[in-house]
């Protein structure tokens, strides 16, 4: 059969279609979370001057750091053994982060 001929797609049942969409949505959710985490991390730690970015975040930086810690726990729980290469890259970035201090007012400085 030529690729130029119309090739019919199998007709899916509603359950089959839903199952495919659930699998796709789950995969996309993981991909988007990994990409979003990397983007946010790099906006601070790959910038020319991370201290300037932290200063611009002001007193919201502490909350952002706390949320990031929760997200890292989630990523480690969820991605371990499933997307290990991506998880290893995330954990390597976290391990390379310079020491920081969160002040009482929520501002963050690099030690």
């Amino acid at each position: 059969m030529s690729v130029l001929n119309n090739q019919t797609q199998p007709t899916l049942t509603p359950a089959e279609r839903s199952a495919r969409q659930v699998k796709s949505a789950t995969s996309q959710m993981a991909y988007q979370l990994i990409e979003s985490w990397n983007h946010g991390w790099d906006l601070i730690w790959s910038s020319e001057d991370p201290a300037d970015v932290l200063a611009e975040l002001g007193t919201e930086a502490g909350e952002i750091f706390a949320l990031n810690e929760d997200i890292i726990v989630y990523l480690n729980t969820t991605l371990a053994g499933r997307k290990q290469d991506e998880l290893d890259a995330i954990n390597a970035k976290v391990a390379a982060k310079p020491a920081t201090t969160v002040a009482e007012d929520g501002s963050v400085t690099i030690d």
Side-chain angles (χ1 to χ4, degrees), residues 3-5 27 29 44 48 58 71-72 75 81 85 89 92-93 99:
V3 295
L4 300 177
N5 294 333
S27 177
M29 187 177 1
I44 296 173
E48 287 184 28
I71 291 168
I72 291 169
L75 291 173
D85 289 344
K93 285 183 173 184

Side-chain angles (χ1 to χ4, degrees), residues 10-38:
T11 303
L12 300 177
T13 67
E16 289 170 327
R17 189 175 312 108
S18 292
R20 282 188 182 189
Q21 290 174 348
V22 167
K23 290 177 186 179
S24 177
T26 301
S27 177
Q28 281 299 311
M29 187 177 1
Y31 171 80
Q32 290 173 353
L33 186 54
I34 292 165
E35 290 299 308
S36 293
W37 184 88
N38 277 301

